[in-house]
Amino acid sequence: MSNEVFNPKILGFLCNWCCYAAADSAGVSRYQYPPNLRTIRVMCTGRLDPAFVLKGFAEGAAGIFTGG
Amino acid sequence: MGQANDKRLGSVMVVGGGVAGVQAALDLTELGYYVYLVEKSAAIGGAMAQLDKTFPTNDCSL
Amino acid sequence: MEAGRSPNIEILSNADFLGLDGKAGDFTAKVRLRPRYIDADKCTACGLCTTYCPRHLVDEYNEGLAITRPIHIDYPQAVPATYFIDPKACMHLQHGTCKICVPVCRSHAINFDQQPEERELKVGAVIMSPGFGRVPEEALTKYSYGAHPDVVTSLEFERLLNPSGPFKGEVRCLSDKRHPHRIAFIQCVGSRDLGCNNGYCSSVCCMYAIKEAMVAKEHDPECEITIYYMDMRTQGKDFDAAQKRAEEQFGIKFVRAKVADVMPWDKQLKLTYATLDGSHYFEGYDMVVLSVGLDAPADAKNLAKIADFELNRYDFCKTSTFAPLTTSHDGVLVAGAFQGPKDIPESVTQSSAAAGLASALLKAQRGKGVITKSYPAEQEVKADDEVRIGVFVCHCGINIAGVVDVAKVANYAGDMENVTYYAESLYSCSQDAQEVIKQRIKEHKLNRVVVAACSPRTHEPLFQETMKDAGLNRSLFEMVNIRDHCSWVHANEPAAATTKSMDLVRMGVAKARNIRPLPEQNVPCTAKAMVVGGGIAGMNAALNLADQGFQTYLVEKSDKLGGHLLEQHYTLQGDDTPALLKGVIDRVKKNKLIEVFTSAELTAVNGFVGNFTSIITSGSGKSQKEASVDHGVIIIATGGKEHRPETVLGAKLPASKKIVTQQELESQLAGKAKNRAPKSLVMIQCAGSRGDDLAYCSKVCCNNAVKNALKVKEIDPAAQVVVLYREMRTYGYAEDAYREAREKGVIFIPYTMERKPAINAKGAKLEVSFHDPILREEVTIAPDQIALSVGMVPVDTDALSKVLKVPVNENKFYLEAHVKLRPVELPVAGVYVCGLAHSPKPVDEVVVQAQAAAAKAAIPLVKGYVSVEPTVSNVNQDTCIGCGLCESLCPYQAIKIHKVDNKRKAETIVASCKGCGICASHCPTFAISMGGFTDEQISAQIKAFGELQEETV
């Protein structure tokens, strides 16, 4: 175990209008960040049913990120 | 498109493609007019395209 | 920038305006298009040419702080997204050599044979919006600009702060690339400066200086920043609050002083400044930022000659208070900074207003020239049809393919269930790639398309358009972002980036399996408007709507039209307000399309955008009447009034007849009495504002004080007028009047919050005591009269905001949908705001805002319908239990409970829904689904996320 590289997979829910847009500008600006995040775009984080978070964990997410 | 029709009825010319000109052009099309947006430089956007954030909320600009 | 996509906007960039003949409604304009030397249809904006071009060129987009090449594009999101060759620097165009770019370009877009092209355009109206120019060099060189690299303009500093700027957003000294620890901003460079013939205030510099200082602090919290200013003119809505934040949270220092000069000083710069009491100081800084003003555009004189209109003394376009966007040439309108220095929201407001005015002028030609695109009939995709997905993975030149193994991602996608076709694409957004997608849809009978490329925020509409062209519902499309969210941000980890791309594509395909066609909905709109408030704002809004051809109901609470302006007698610009106001009232009364209700109120509003039904209650007692009217839009123009403060300067205001407000003083001065001008007068600015009763700045009081001070001096030049102020906010051309008042002997003395003046009433005698910073002592004077600049408050916002369910801010002004880009729209669709109900502002700005609100409100009336995005919510009436949770949570009033067969059921008002999904996530019975973001789709994405890629290559 201790020899394994810590490489968590994180699931992100990004609001189309702010956080998704921010992630786009991070790209345009070529900011580098760790490649552990997998994202799902929503029109608003108000769309997030708590069940989505639980499902994410059940599917093996090490962490859930919501950006709105 | 492609072929230019320069004798269109119900068209407006906007001189200057900064944020003011672009907004005027968009509103004009929504109001039912054809727009010629004349810009001196190679791209529209004007000074606002150079800004990253705007006062007072420091939102991003584009 | 959606302007690039509209079929009804033809962008003529790299073009010069050469001539204008004819008259309003029937102009012929001459335009010359300079060659780009690159074929716009072929250029894919890959950027390969720039990397090969051997010549260097100063990058003007980066304010000369970076280097580009003669063949380039200003910035990646530029519209049109076509590179161009600057002929001044190109080796081939100058010397006939080189031509290295020609073979390099893979799409053969480079064409040195292009010639200038002249076109004659028939246009009904012209809107001049050429923006602003640069202030003269001498305004900069006196602060060692040009002589020392660490003296920069605010525009250069803006680029330094920008992540796409020369140091990728790091602030560094240009001299030796060190991080500056101490930065000074000098305000009013090239503004309020007769030395360079710019007597006006540029109205934007205080705001951008604060913004830049705050952003610089965010980059480097250790950095010390000082702003040297004469007056901080943060008079706009919520601007004072931002300044306070800069001072208190960010620790930015504000020093009221005149900067004498800036000189090199060892590695630093020595800044010498003089404070108000005449003391001189100096301090060392690593970097000095000059807050440069906005000048008239360099070609203003030429434009004025070509289009035949007048300029003012500063070479900006000349207009008048009550018709601020009309030039001296009928049919030629002006908008933006060319009308006078202004910020973005005001420019945007003016543009909408100018569009509305042009629309009224050309009413008879409306719709005659527009291009409406037609699409093939939509192919039916049923729920039980076999899902056939096509996946296109984009190289984006080297933007994606340089990092991500595109072939591997595409092959991986090809193995997925339901994926019937997959391919790589060099530039999936290019015109030929769209054709390929259309062909493949036909050949392989695809009924879902996934494109893995860049951001859906910028490119989804383009691909959805292609779907429609191919006869598929546009909602059957899904986009995966493997550029902005992957290759660009994991540039050094190609293997991990490829794995991430595969994961994202798998999640996208999982969603695509569950997407369904969504109906395109249009809600019809009643082509009539309601305007609430019969002041100058409401009347201008109603007039523009009627001039555009729409019936308008104008509801005024009092028994006559005119509103707050009825109490004004003259303007700072010298207009005869009563006469001009009467002209507007007469035009409203004569207009057959405007139905005026006086002594009336809007008591109930039902419905939604396009379909409102309102009750107008007029009269009172026995003669009370109710009228029910249908309309498609509502403009709120309920106005404001002078505030009557109880607390002034932190103390209770003594009762005295000698204390008046500026408005009362104005009426007195406009009268006929011989002794109407007091022999000695003290004006107190911000009385009851900016910290007393009212928290905010009312924007108009400084102008009114100067206006009345000048009037007193005009009547009696010997009168003594003292103005006690915190900051004189005579922005724009009002600065000229402020200077004139000082020249005529009006005494302006600043006070601070620490040392406020005090009003003492001793019997009939009035005294004002204050600290004079020039004499450095306490002074007490006993004036004949005291005029208080009391600020403005909105009228009746409480009741109407509840009726309309629209938000107000903490100062009871209506809260617009977006401060910068949607300044006259409210969050509830179909409801607009203008005038003092939005925020305090002078008459010319009120007129513009009213015209802008009318232009925006006219859009659904012109169309006759409101189009609905497919992403709206949809309630399953079978499973809805009518609990009403969704109705109470919806921020847009877009879901309502009503009775169906005597049972409570929720229903979406699609015209108002923004698709946020709050209703869906809270529905206890999962009865609400969101178009394009259903529970099934998101769950499928989450499940696909779980099927992790074990192989990490």
Side-chain angles (χ1 to χ4, degrees):
Chain A
M1 276 292 269
S2 57
N3 289 339
E4 273 178 37
V5 184
F6 182 57
N7 192 23
K9 286 283 181 270
I10 301 163
L11 179 61
F13 293 95
L14 310 189
C15 161
N16 179 63
W17 306 106
C18 47
C19 195
Y20 196 94
D24 283 357
S25 9
V28 173
S29 312
R30 309 296 199 274
Y31 280 124
Q32 301 295 309
Y33 56 83
N36 302 58
L37 182 68
R38 303 290 180 268
T39 57
I40 293 176
R41 180 172 70 114
V42 287
M43 294 307 278
C44 169
T45 41
R47 175 70 189 92
L48 284 200
D49 192 315
F52 295 156
V53 177
L54 299 178
K55 269 185 196 148
F57 283 125
E59 290 293 344
I64 307 275
F65 168 85
T66 65
Chain B
M1 283 192 278
Q3 225 170 28
N5 172 6
D6 294 348
K7 305 269 180 280
R8 225 177 265 283
L9 207 58
S11 54
V12 178
M13 178 167 75
V14 177
V15 181
V19 65
V22 170
Q23 183 64 49
L26 288 171
D27 286 340
L28 280 165
T29 59
E30 295 260 44
L31 290 167
Y33 297 90
Y34 188 86
V35 181
Y36 300 100
L37 182 57
V38 178
E39 166 60 36
K40 217 167 34 173
S41 67
I44 60 171
M48 192 166 169
Q50 289 180 305
L51 310 184
D52 180 34
K53 297 188 167 108
T54 54
F55 189 83
T57 50
N58 286 12
D59 273 357
C60 46
S61 72
L62 272 168
Chain C
M1 285 279 201
E2 41 191 320
R5 275 199 306 273
S6 171
N8 287 305
I9 300 177
E10 194 174 337
I11 298 173
L12 308 174
S13 60
N14 230 13
D16 299 311
F17 175 36
L18 297 182
L20 187 70
D21 292 315
K23 59 176 184 5
D26 187 21
F27 285 119
T28 303
K30 205 187 274 180
V31 175
R32 181 176 51 217
L33 284 82
R34 278 172 270 123
R36 297 178 87 94
Y37 302 107
I38 290 177
D39 198 331
D41 293 338
K42 292 184 186 158
C43 175
T44 57
C46 70
L48 212 55
C49 52
T50 303
T51 53
Y52 278 88
C53 180
R55 197 79 192 269
H56 290 259
L57 179 71
V58 170
D59 183 0
E60 283 171 26
Y61 174 71
N62 269 316
E63 290 295 322
L65 301 178
I67 298 290
T68 182
R69 309 282 166 157
I71 185 163
H72 70 282
I73 192 162
D74 282 344
Y75 52 102
Q77 302 88 349
V79 176
T82 306
Y83 278 58
F84 71 102
I85 297 175
D86 189 335
K88 289 194 303 292
C90 171
M91 303 230 288
H92 178 67
L93 290 167
Q94 289 295 321
H95 311 293
T97 58
C98 187
K99 269 185 145 176
I100 205 164
C101 49
V102 178
V104 163
C105 180
R106 290 183 189 167
S107 44
H108 310 290
I110 291 154
N111 177 3
F112 281 108
D113 298 329
Q114 280 187 2
Q115 296 298 321
E117 181 196 349
E118 280 199 12
R119 282 174 62 182
E120 282 194 355
L121 312 169
K122 281 271 180 216
V123 292
V126 179
I127 296 174
M128 302 298 304
S129 53
F132 56 88
R134 307 258 157 141
V135 301
E137 275 296 300
E138 64 259 31
L140 309 176
T141 47
K142 70 177 176 191
Y143 297 114
S144 289
Y145 180 80
H148 195 291
D150 294 338
V151 181
V152 298
T153 67
S154 46
L155 283 166
E156 291 164 353
F157 195 67
E158 183 82 43
R159 293 309 305 162
L160 286 176
L161 292 172
N162 198 307
S164 71
F167 301 123
K168 300 206 179 336
E170 274 189 65
V171 179
R172 289 175 181 274
C173 289
L174 293 172
S175 56
D176 57 2
K177 311 277 184 285
R178 72 182 191 276
H179 288 278
H181 293 298
R182 288 169 57 79
I183 302 176
F185 279 79
I186 304 176
Q187 297 305 107
C188 302
V189 177
S191 305
R192 303 177 71 183
D193 180 3
L194 287 179
C196 62
N197 191 31
N198 285 355
Y200 56 87
C201 158
S202 291
S203 314
V204 299
C205 325
C206 287
M207 275 63 78
Y208 73 59
I210 294 171
K211 174 197 78 176
E212 289 183 3
M214 287 202 281
V215 177
K217 267 282 198 187
E218 278 173 1
H219 284 243
D220 178 9
E222 300 300 306
C223 182
E224 292 169 35
I225 302 179
T226 309
I227 298 181
Y228 292 92
Y229 70 98
M230 294 201 269
D231 298 278
M232 280 319 284
R233 289 185 171 165
T234 46
Q235 60 269 358
K237 194 177 183 180
D238 297 333
F239 288 6
D240 263 347
Q243 190 199 339
K244 211 165 159 193
R245 211 165 58 234
E247 203 162 356
E248 289 169 5
Q249 281 178 24
F250 285 75
I252 291 157
K253 239 170 88 186
F254 290 84
V255 176
R256 180 177 232 144
K258 265 275 210 190
V259 175
D261 62 19
V262 176
M263 299 300 268
W265 192 38
D266 195 14
K267 275 187 87 177
Q268 281 193 317
L269 289 153
K270 185 167 86 172
L271 183 143
T272 311
Y273 63 95
T275 50
L276 220 54
D277 58 10
S279 312
H280 280 67
Y281 304 90
F282 68 83
E283 299 225 20
Y285 287 98
D286 299 306
M287 187 181 256
V288 171
V289 182
L290 306 180
S291 293
V292 292
L294 310 185
D295 212 325
D299 54 351
K301 281 204 172 79
N302 185 36
L303 290 173
K305 207 174 126 203
I306 293 169
D308 189 26
F309 58 85
E310 287 174 45
L311 299 176
N312 70 13
R313 55 186 291 212
Y314 296 119
D315 282 351
F316 287 90
C317 185
K318 187 177 171 182
T319 62
S320 65
T321 318
F322 282 73
L325 305 181
T326 313
T327 70
S328 57
H329 189 170
D330 192 24
V332 179
L333 301 159
V334 62
F338 185 40
Q339 191 261 0
K342 63 180 54 65
D343 59 5
I344 294 163
E346 264 190 63
S347 292
V348 169
T349 308
Q350 287 203 338
S351 304
S352 299
L357 293 174
S359 172
L361 184 73
L362 303 178
K363 187 178 61 182
Q365 304 177 10
R366 181 164 56 215
K368 298 260 167 73
V370 293
I371 296 166
T372 14
K373 223 186 137 186
S374 57
Y375 302 97
E378 195 177 297
Q379 174 196 329
E380 198 185 352
V381 177
K382 288 203 264 326
D384 53 358
D385 282 354
E386 183 203 352
V387 174
R388 298 176 67 86
I389 304 174
V391 180
F392 297 85
V393 186
C394 184
H395 284 241
C396 195
I398 54 165
N399 280 307
I400 294 170
V403 178
V404 171
D405 185 342
V406 172
K408 190 171 172 191
V409 177
N411 288 328
Y412 175 67
D415 287 341
M416 287 177 203
E417 199 187 331
N418 299 114
V419 174
T420 21
Y421 179 80
Y422 67 99
E424 297 168 46
S425 172
L426 185 57
Y427 285 101
S428 56
C429 60
S430 67
Q431 199 53 48
D432 52 318
Q434 305 310 303
E435 294 305 320
V436 171
I437 295 176
K438 277 186 239 172
Q439 274 170 23
R440 299 296 175 264
I441 289 174
K442 294 223 157 55
E443 288 165 17
H444 299 271
K445 298 194 176 58
L446 304 177
N447 54 20
R448 308 283 191 287
V449 173
V450 174
V451 170
C454 52
S455 176
R457 300 186 77 254
T458 52
H459 282 72
E460 193 177 56
L462 173 86
F463 292 111
Q464 289 188 334
E465 192 74 14
T466 305
M467 297 289 284
K468 280 160 83 176
D469 284 338
L472 282 176
N473 182 282
R474 66 173 164 135
S475 300
L476 295 169
F477 174 78
E478 178 63 17
M479 203 158 174
V480 178
N481 193 338
I482 58 167
R483 187 186 72 179
D484 309 40
H485 293 191
C486 193
S487 67
W488 275 352
V489 291
H490 312 308
N492 305 320
E493 298 153 278
T498 303
T499 312
K500 180 172 176 178
S501 297
M502 290 155 78
D503 287 345
L504 291 174
V505 168
R506 188 179 61 246
M507 290 163 73
V509 168
K511 181 175 178 181
R513 272 184 214 118
N514 289 281
I515 49 183
R516 302 275 173 269
L518 294 169
E520 298 290 331
Q521 304 178 66
N522 284 332
V523 177
C525 176
T526 309
K528 293 178 187 173
M530 161 75 69
V531 178
V532 191
I536 191 72
M539 288 193 293
N540 268 294
L543 277 172
N544 182 255
L545 284 163
D547 287 347
Q548 290 198 62
F550 301 109
Q551 193 182 350
T552 303
Y553 304 107
L554 181 59
V555 178
E556 165 58 36
K557 199 172 65 167
S558 78
D559 58 354
K560 55 178 182 291
L561 294 171
H564 163 75
L565 217 55
L566 287 169
E567 290 155 49
Q568 292 199 9
H569 305 273
Y570 45 86
T571 68
L572 187 60
Q573 295 80 18
D575 302 287
D576 181 352
T577 307
L580 290 163
L581 183 61
K582 187 170 177 300
V584 178
I585 294 172
D586 288 347
R587 277 177 56 209
V588 169
K589 284 184 179 164
K590 270 189 215 139
N591 198 309
K592 290 203 177 70
L593 285 173
I594 303 176
E595 191 174 339
V596 180
F597 295 81
T598 46
S599 305
E601 277 184 79
L602 194 63
T603 43
V605 177
N606 286 305
F608 49 88
V609 59
N611 296 277
F612 289 109
T613 302
S614 299
I615 307 290
I616 301 169
T617 311
S618 51
S620 60
K622 276 189 180 163
S623 59
Q624 188 169 339
K625 281 187 303 204
E626 280 195 354
S628 171
V629 296
D630 293 336
H631 52 102
V633 291
I634 306 175
I635 294 178
I636 303 174
T638 43
K641 62 178 183 193
E642 212 180 35
H643 178 53
R644 289 286 176 274
E646 287 170 7
T647 315
V648 166
L649 303 165
K652 199 174 168 335
L653 186 66
S656 165
K657 280 191 174 160
K658 290 182 174 177
I659 303 177
V660 295
T661 67
Q662 289 289 357
Q663 204 168 66
E664 290 162 348
L665 177 67
E666 184 179 324
S667 298
Q668 176 190 322
L669 296 174
K672 297 246 180 333
K674 227 176 174 175
N675 58 350
R676 62 190 190 276
K679 282 278 165 223
S680 70
L681 170 68
V682 172
M683 292 184 177
I684 298 174
Q685 299 305 101
C686 306
S689 296
R690 296 182 67 197
D692 281 336
D693 288 10
L694 309 177
Y696 54 91
C697 163
S698 287
K699 207 175 183 185
V700 295
C701 324
C702 285
N703 288 6
N704 285 338
V706 169
K707 172 176 90 171
N708 289 339
L710 281 167
K711 200 72 175 178
V712 169
K713 282 288 188 183
E714 182 191 314
I715 298 164
D716 178 8
Q720 187 197 44
V721 184
V722 175
V723 182
L724 299 174
Y725 71 99
R726 283 173 61 187
E727 259 113 3
M728 281 311 286
R729 292 181 163 174
T730 45
Y731 60 98
Y733 306 128
E735 182 68 15
D736 286 338
Y738 175 35
R739 191 180 317 105
E740 185 190 338
R742 285 200 314 256
E743 284 162 6
K744 290 199 166 146
V746 177
I747 302 160
F748 290 88
I749 299 171
Y751 68 88
T752 61
M753 291 309 275
E754 291 74 42
R755 283 181 136 158
K756 292 175 194 163
I759 304 169
N760 307 305
K762 289 183 177 168
K765 204 172 145 198
L766 268 186
E767 279 183 0
V768 181
S769 42
F770 55 90
H771 175 79
D772 187 327
I774 297 170
L775 300 172
R776 285 190 252 190
E777 59 183 34
E778 292 297 318
V779 179
T780 301
I781 51 176
D784 293 343
Q785 211 167 25
I786 295 176
L788 303 176
S789 291
V790 287
M792 306 287 296
V793 285
V795 180
D796 294 340
T797 37
D798 272 340
L800 191 61
S801 67
K802 287 202 181 85
V803 169
L804 290 167
K805 300 189 181 68
V806 289
V808 292
N809 70 10
E810 70 270 26
N811 303 322
K812 306 271 186 213
F813 292 102
Y814 287 97
L815 196 62
E816 60 271 47
H818 189 285
V819 181
K820 293 284 151 195
L821 301 171
R822 293 169 64 202
V824 295
E825 291 161 76
L826 291 176
V828 174
V831 186
Y832 309 82
V833 66
C834 60
L836 303 181
H838 166 273
S839 66
K841 59 181 74 65
V843 185
D844 51 343
E845 290 173 33
V846 169
V847 172
V848 167
Q849 209 179 24
Q851 291 168 340
K856 287 289 185 191
I859 291 171
L861 308 186
V862 166
K863 285 187 175 161
Y865 62 85
V866 181
S867 41
V868 177
E869 278 297 307
T871 49
V872 294
S873 69
N874 182 25
V875 184
N876 181 344
Q877 303 272 318
D878 294 339
T879 45
C880 172
I881 52 168
C883 69
L885 194 59
C886 50
E887 181 179 9
S888 67
L889 289 171
C890 178
Y892 307 103
Q893 316 301 327
I895 197 159
K896 288 269 176 297
I897 296 287
H898 63 152
K899 291 244 167 117
V900 178
D901 300 335
N902 238 358
K903 284 185 189 139
R904 282 162 52 87
K905 297 285 174 191
E907 191 180 8
T908 307
I909 298 163
V910 289
S912 302
C913 178
K914 310 272 187 228
C916 71
I918 289 177
C919 52
S921 63
H922 285 80
C923 179
T925 58
F926 306 102
I928 303 174
S929 81
M930 302 305 302
F933 297 89
T934 63
D935 284 346
E936 296 73 38
Q937 289 161 12
I938 295 175
S939 298
Q941 280 175 290
I942 298 171
K943 189 157 179 296
F945 162 81
E947 298 158 9
L948 284 182
Q949 272 297 287
E950 288 311 333
E951 128 203 63
T952 31
V953 198

